[in-house]
Amino acid sequence: MPSESLRWETLQALKNSPKGKISFDPFWLERGEVSCRQVAKKTTRTLSDKVKDESPEADVSGVSSPTSLPAISLLSPKAMEMAGCIIKVQEEHREKAKLALRVRQEMQENQVVAVASAESEQLKRFEELMELKQRQEYQSMRDMMERETKESIGRQEKLKEEQRRRITLVNLRLREAEQQRLREAELERQRQAEGRERLRSLNSIQEEILQLNQLLEPSTQTKTDLPPASLSSYSTRGNQLCSQVSEVVRKTAEGDFPSLEDMTVAERALHEMRALIRLMQEEAAKVREKKKKEQEQEEERRKQAELLAKQEGEKKAAQLAKEKAQRKGLQNSAEDVTLKWYKDLQEVATRCAQSFEQLNSAKDGQTKKLKLELQKAATIPVSQIASNSGSQLREIFDKIDKLLSGRPVVSGGKSVSTSQHPQGLEFASYKLAEKFVKQGEEEVASHHEAAFPIAVVASGVWELHPQVGELILAHLHKKCPYAIPHYPPMKEGTPVDEYQRILGYRVDDSGVEGQDSFLKRMSGMIRLYAAIIQLKWPYSSKQGPVPHGLNHGWRWLAQMLNMEPLADVTATLLFDFLEVCGNALMNQYRSQFWKLILLLKEEYFPR
């Protein structure tokens, strides 16, 4: 219907109009018709004023058409239908409003979320920007610090380079100064050495001139045949030369070294003194030659007479000695000279032992080890000497000589030298001499033929190192007093055991050794001694006799025959001694030796 359609359009326009604020009251009928009409009029008047200004799309859903209100019966179905439409429109409007409100709320929420997200992103960007600025500032600061560090390192390197250059320059100057000092010190040392050498030469020259001048003194020329006038002239010139040298020496006594001119004066004086001595000797030789010719004939005439007188004197002396021995008997002890010699050797051995007391009683391990190595180096080569050593003797001798000369030797795979300790030489010498005697006591006692190889090495060592020879004799006399020869008397208060030791016996806890063992040891030592006195080292570069020769053997044999014999001991020692060196004594002393043997047979055997 047109009118019905107009009503819905009107309601729709009122609903959409922002000024159509009409609210439908379904209970308006109960509150009276007048009110309804007033409301309708008011509503119509209001709508009429606003419709002009509002657009057709305004919300007028809640307002009914004014023209239709008078025609509507409130109790009619149409009124009910209208009321229902109004209520329906209100519900629809309410639902749409709710939907719009929800949509608007969602839009606002989305806008809030979008704004929050945008703000969050902006905050992040701001934070990133601030962080970037911080990083840039940090990087800038670090770059600046690195530049400053590089600049500082560069400055330090320059300073270091400058310092190194200065140090190099200073070191160079120091080296030059040190080299200059060393050169000056070397020159001073050479000057001092040359001065000391000239001083020693000057002292030697003075000593030689003084010794030569003594030959010119008349008091020393008692046996010369020169006339007193010649002796006086030689002596005067010699004193003048001594005065010249003494004047030069007097200058050096003030602390200065002699100069080359002083040495020239001294050497010239020495040459003149030597020439003076030659002249005197030549003149004396001429005088002696003259006298010799005068005495030759007289001496030839006396020669035969003296020989006959000598033979007669020897016979008389032998007869007197025989009568004296029969009248007074033989000696019971050695001669005083022999005992003094024995005591002197014992003192030498004692002093030697005391000199290395510090080494012998050392507590530290290194010194103890050195002492053991030195003892091995001294004793092992002697132990290696045997009767069949042959060419090995020279090698053994060279090893011992090196040790005693302070040169290193190899012992037990280790190098050792007596120069490693101040007391090393005394210790090695003492132990070497002791080992030689022990070899005679043990090795020679068991193998008599071993006496000669051991003795020849001992003789060679004795010749080059005399102190070892004295220690050998000292050890031999201590272990075998009969090698002196000496029969020690028993002093009052001396214990029997101690006296047995003095006699050479071995005494221990089990008692005194047997007589056979004692005689065997004494035999070995006397055989070694008899071999030493007749042997000389065949490779020796020195000319001369054996260092401890046969004259000592002759003295020993003569003194043994002048002493009362001891049971077993004297017979054993005489037999061993003569068996080893009897032939050498016979070749040396010939008829005198046979006289001694005859005395032994006829007079000594019965005792």
Side-chain angles (χ1 to χ4, degrees), residues 299-315:
E299 186 176 352
E300 187 66 26
R301 287 192 301 267
R302 293 177 182 177
K303 186 176 181 180
Q304 190 66 30
E306 288 178 357
L307 180 60
L308 295 175
K310 183 179 179 181
Q311 293 176 353
E312 187 67 25
E314 288 178 356
K315 291 180 180 179

PDB file of all heavy atoms in Angstrom, residues 299-315:
ATOM      1  N   GLU A 299     205.208 -40.905  40.937  1.00  0.00           N
ATOM      2  CA  GLU A 299     203.972 -41.657  41.185  1.00  0.00           C
ATOM      3  C   GLU A 299     204.069 -43.058  40.618  1.00  0.00           C
ATOM      4  O   GLU A 299     203.563 -44.014  41.219  1.00  0.00           O
ATOM      5  CB  GLU A 299     202.785 -40.913  40.545  1.00  0.00           C
ATOM      6  CG  GLU A 299     201.430 -41.534  40.882  1.00  0.00           C
ATOM      7  CD  GLU A 299     200.294 -40.717  40.311  1.00  0.00           C
ATOM      8  OE1 GLU A 299     200.533 -39.612  39.786  1.00  0.00           O
ATOM      9  OE2 GLU A 299     199.152 -41.183  40.404  1.00  0.00           O
ATOM     10  N   GLU A 300     204.713 -43.200  39.488  1.00  0.00           N
ATOM     11  CA  GLU A 300     204.869 -44.532  38.899  1.00  0.00           C
ATOM     12  C   GLU A 300     205.736 -45.417  39.787  1.00  0.00           C
ATOM     13  O   GLU A 300     205.471 -46.610  39.912  1.00  0.00           O
ATOM     14  CB  GLU A 300     205.514 -44.389  37.507  1.00  0.00           C
ATOM     15  CG  GLU A 300     205.595 -45.673  36.716  1.00  0.00           C
ATOM     16  CD  GLU A 300     204.230 -46.197  36.343  1.00  0.00           C
ATOM     17  OE1 GLU A 300     203.270 -45.386  36.236  1.00  0.00           O
ATOM     18  OE2 GLU A 300     204.090 -47.416  36.179  1.00  0.00           O
ATOM     19  N   ARG A 301     206.687 -44.824  40.394  1.00  0.00           N
ATOM     20  CA  ARG A 301     207.548 -45.622  41.284  1.00  0.00           C
ATOM     21  C   ARG A 301     206.785 -46.051  42.545  1.00  0.00           C
ATOM     22  O   ARG A 301     207.052 -47.106  43.087  1.00  0.00           O
ATOM     23  CB  ARG A 301     208.778 -44.769  41.687  1.00  0.00           C
ATOM     24  CG  ARG A 301     209.781 -44.585  40.551  1.00  0.00           C
ATOM     25  CD  ARG A 301     211.082 -44.015  41.068  1.00  0.00           C
ATOM     26  NE  ARG A 301     210.893 -42.721  41.723  1.00  0.00           N
ATOM     27  CZ  ARG A 301     211.014 -41.577  41.105  1.00  0.00           C
ATOM     28  NH1 ARG A 301     211.287 -41.544  39.808  1.00  0.00           N
ATOM     29  NH2 ARG A 301     210.846 -40.433  41.750  1.00  0.00           N
ATOM     30  N   ARG A 302     205.886 -45.190  42.998  1.00  0.00           N
ATOM     31  CA  ARG A 302     205.180 -45.525  44.234  1.00  0.00           C
ATOM     32  C   ARG A 302     203.995 -46.472  44.002  1.00  0.00           C
ATOM     33  O   ARG A 302     203.499 -47.050  44.961  1.00  0.00           O
ATOM     34  CB  ARG A 302     204.644 -44.247  44.881  1.00  0.00           C
ATOM     35  CG  ARG A 302     205.737 -43.318  45.385  1.00  0.00           C
ATOM     36  CD  ARG A 302     205.099 -42.066  45.933  1.00  0.00           C
ATOM     37  NE  ARG A 302     206.109 -41.112  46.380  1.00  0.00           N
ATOM     38  CZ  ARG A 302     205.834 -39.896  46.850  1.00  0.00           C
ATOM     39  NH1 ARG A 302     204.566 -39.495  46.916  1.00  0.00           N
ATOM     40  NH2 ARG A 302     206.812 -39.101  47.240  1.00  0.00           N
ATOM     41  N   LYS A 303     203.582 -46.606  42.797  1.00  0.00           N
ATOM     42  CA  LYS A 303     202.348 -47.337  42.531  1.00  0.00           C
ATOM     43  C   LYS A 303     202.423 -48.782  42.997  1.00  0.00           C
ATOM     44  O   LYS A 303     201.540 -49.262  43.704  1.00  0.00           O
ATOM     45  CB  LYS A 303     202.051 -47.282  41.035  1.00  0.00           C
ATOM     46  CG  LYS A 303     200.721 -47.891  40.666  1.00  0.00           C
ATOM     47  CD  LYS A 303     200.468 -47.692  39.166  1.00  0.00           C
ATOM     48  CE  LYS A 303     199.124 -48.281  38.778  1.00  0.00           C
ATOM     49  NZ  LYS A 303     198.829 -48.113  37.345  1.00  0.00           N
ATOM     50  N   GLN A 304     203.503 -49.451  42.628  1.00  0.00           N
ATOM     51  CA  GLN A 304     203.629 -50.849  42.994  1.00  0.00           C
ATOM     52  C   GLN A 304     203.765 -50.993  44.500  1.00  0.00           C
ATOM     53  O   GLN A 304     203.177 -51.904  45.096  1.00  0.00           O
ATOM     54  CB  GLN A 304     204.847 -51.483  42.292  1.00  0.00           C
ATOM     55  CG  GLN A 304     204.936 -52.992  42.423  1.00  0.00           C
ATOM     56  CD  GLN A 304     203.785 -53.676  41.701  1.00  0.00           C
ATOM     57  OE1 GLN A 304     203.276 -53.170  40.702  1.00  0.00           O
ATOM     58  NE2 GLN A 304     203.364 -54.829  42.210  1.00  0.00           N
ATOM     59  N   ALA A 305     204.524 -50.075  45.086  1.00  0.00           N
ATOM     60  CA  ALA A 305     204.707 -50.152  46.542  1.00  0.00           C
ATOM     61  C   ALA A 305     203.384 -49.948  47.281  1.00  0.00           C
ATOM     62  O   ALA A 305     203.081 -50.634  48.267  1.00  0.00           O
ATOM     63  CB  ALA A 305     205.743 -49.135  46.983  1.00  0.00           C
ATOM     64  N   GLU A 306     202.571 -49.027  46.799  1.00  0.00           N
ATOM     65  CA  GLU A 306     201.268 -48.783  47.449  1.00  0.00           C
ATOM     66  C   GLU A 306     200.335 -49.971  47.316  1.00  0.00           C
ATOM     67  O   GLU A 306     199.581 -50.306  48.231  1.00  0.00           O
ATOM     68  CB  GLU A 306     200.615 -47.550  46.833  1.00  0.00           C
ATOM     69  CG  GLU A 306     201.284 -46.252  47.222  1.00  0.00           C
ATOM     70  CD  GLU A 306     200.634 -45.067  46.545  1.00  0.00           C
ATOM     71  OE1 GLU A 306     199.690 -45.297  45.734  1.00  0.00           O
ATOM     72  OE2 GLU A 306     201.030 -43.927  46.818  1.00  0.00           O
ATOM     73  N   LEU A 307     200.365 -50.653  46.141  1.00  0.00           N
ATOM     74  CA  LEU A 307     199.512 -51.809  45.938  1.00  0.00           C
ATOM     75  C   LEU A 307     199.864 -52.911  46.909  1.00  0.00           C
ATOM     76  O   LEU A 307     198.988 -53.539  47.521  1.00  0.00           O
ATOM     77  CB  LEU A 307     199.631 -52.286  44.484  1.00  0.00           C
ATOM     78  CG  LEU A 307     198.798 -53.506  44.110  1.00  0.00           C
ATOM     79  CD1 LEU A 307     197.320 -53.226  44.316  1.00  0.00           C
ATOM     80  CD2 LEU A 307     199.070 -53.909  42.653  1.00  0.00           C
ATOM     81  N   LEU A 308     201.155 -53.141  47.058  1.00  0.00           N
ATOM     82  CA  LEU A 308     201.590 -54.180  48.005  1.00  0.00           C
ATOM     83  C   LEU A 308     201.194 -53.813  49.423  1.00  0.00           C
ATOM     84  O   LEU A 308     200.731 -54.661  50.203  1.00  0.00           O
ATOM     85  CB  LEU A 308     203.113 -54.373  47.888  1.00  0.00           C
ATOM     86  CG  LEU A 308     203.609 -54.926  46.542  1.00  0.00           C
ATOM     87  CD1 LEU A 308     205.143 -54.950  46.513  1.00  0.00           C
ATOM     88  CD2 LEU A 308     203.068 -56.322  46.304  1.00  0.00           C
ATOM     89  N   ALA A 309     201.357 -52.521  49.767  1.00  0.00           N
ATOM     90  CA  ALA A 309     200.993 -52.088  51.121  1.00  0.00           C
ATOM     91  C   ALA A 309     199.483 -52.218  51.359  1.00  0.00           C
ATOM     92  O   ALA A 309     199.036 -52.575  52.447  1.00  0.00           O
ATOM     93  CB  ALA A 309     201.442 -50.653  51.323  1.00  0.00           C
ATOM     94  N   LYS A 310     198.676 -51.947  50.320  1.00  0.00           N
ATOM     95  CA  LYS A 310     197.235 -52.043  50.453  1.00  0.00           C
ATOM     96  C   LYS A 310     196.788 -53.474  50.697  1.00  0.00           C
ATOM     97  O   LYS A 310     195.953 -53.754  51.554  1.00  0.00           O
ATOM     98  CB  LYS A 310     196.569 -51.503  49.188  1.00  0.00           C
ATOM     99  CG  LYS A 310     195.056 -51.489  49.250  1.00  0.00           C
ATOM    100  CD  LYS A 310     194.478 -50.915  47.967  1.00  0.00           C
ATOM    101  CE  LYS A 310     192.964 -50.937  48.031  1.00  0.00           C
ATOM    102  NZ  LYS A 310     192.359 -50.397  46.781  1.00  0.00           N
ATOM    103  N   GLN A 311     197.376 -54.407  49.934  1.00  0.00           N
ATOM    104  CA  GLN A 311     197.017 -55.808  50.123  1.00  0.00           C
ATOM    105  C   GLN A 311     197.381 -56.275  51.517  1.00  0.00           C
ATOM    106  O   GLN A 311     196.622 -56.996  52.165  1.00  0.00           O
ATOM    107  CB  GLN A 311     197.716 -56.663  49.060  1.00  0.00           C
ATOM    108  CG  GLN A 311     197.215 -56.402  47.652  1.00  0.00           C
ATOM    109  CD  GLN A 311     197.992 -57.206  46.612  1.00  0.00           C
ATOM    110  OE1 GLN A 311     199.000 -57.871  46.947  1.00  0.00           O
ATOM    111  NE2 GLN A 311     197.530 -57.155  45.365  1.00  0.00           N
ATOM    112  N   GLU A 312     198.546 -55.840  51.970  1.00  0.00           N
ATOM    113  CA  GLU A 312     198.973 -56.218  53.322  1.00  0.00           C
ATOM    114  C   GLU A 312     198.024 -55.619  54.366  1.00  0.00           C
ATOM    115  O   GLU A 312     197.663 -56.288  55.352  1.00  0.00           O
ATOM    116  CB  GLU A 312     200.405 -55.745  53.560  1.00  0.00           C
ATOM    117  CG  GLU A 312     201.016 -56.224  54.856  1.00  0.00           C
ATOM    118  CD  GLU A 312     201.224 -57.728  54.869  1.00  0.00           C
ATOM    119  OE1 GLU A 312     201.359 -58.329  53.766  1.00  0.00           O
ATOM    120  OE2 GLU A 312     201.234 -58.313  55.950  1.00  0.00           O
ATOM    121  N   GLY A 313     197.582 -54.371  54.146  1.00  0.00           N
ATOM    122  CA  GLY A 313     196.679 -53.732  55.101  1.00  0.00           C
ATOM    123  C   GLY A 313     195.323 -54.421  55.139  1.00  0.00           C
ATOM    124  O   GLY A 313     194.706 -54.547  56.210  1.00  0.00           O
ATOM    125  N   GLU A 314     194.828 -54.867  53.970  1.00  0.00           N
ATOM    126  CA  GLU A 314     193.532 -55.564  53.936  1.00  0.00           C
ATOM    127  C   GLU A 314     193.609 -56.869  54.701  1.00  0.00           C
ATOM    128  O   GLU A 314     192.688 -57.233  55.428  1.00  0.00           O
ATOM    129  CB  GLU A 314     193.112 -55.816  52.484  1.00  0.00           C
ATOM    130  CG  GLU A 314     192.678 -54.554  51.741  1.00  0.00           C
ATOM    131  CD  GLU A 314     192.316 -54.859  50.310  1.00  0.00           C
ATOM    132  OE1 GLU A 314     192.474 -56.025  49.891  1.00  0.00           O
ATOM    133  OE2 GLU A 314     191.857 -53.925  49.599  1.00  0.00           O
ATOM    134  N   LYS A 315     194.721 -57.567  54.523  1.00  0.00           N
ATOM    135  CA  LYS A 315     194.864 -58.832  55.257  1.00  0.00           C
ATOM    136  C   LYS A 315     194.883 -58.581  56.751  1.00  0.00           C
ATOM    137  O   LYS A 315     194.252 -59.290  57.535  1.00  0.00           O
ATOM    138  CB  LYS A 315     196.145 -59.536  54.820  1.00  0.00           C
ATOM    139  CG  LYS A 315     196.098 -60.062  53.400  1.00  0.00           C
ATOM    140  CD  LYS A 315     197.406 -60.745  53.032  1.00  0.00           C
ATOM    141  CE  LYS A 315     197.376 -61.269  51.607  1.00  0.00           C
ATOM    142  NZ  LYS A 315     198.663 -61.934  51.223  1.00  0.00           N
TER     143      LYS A 315
END
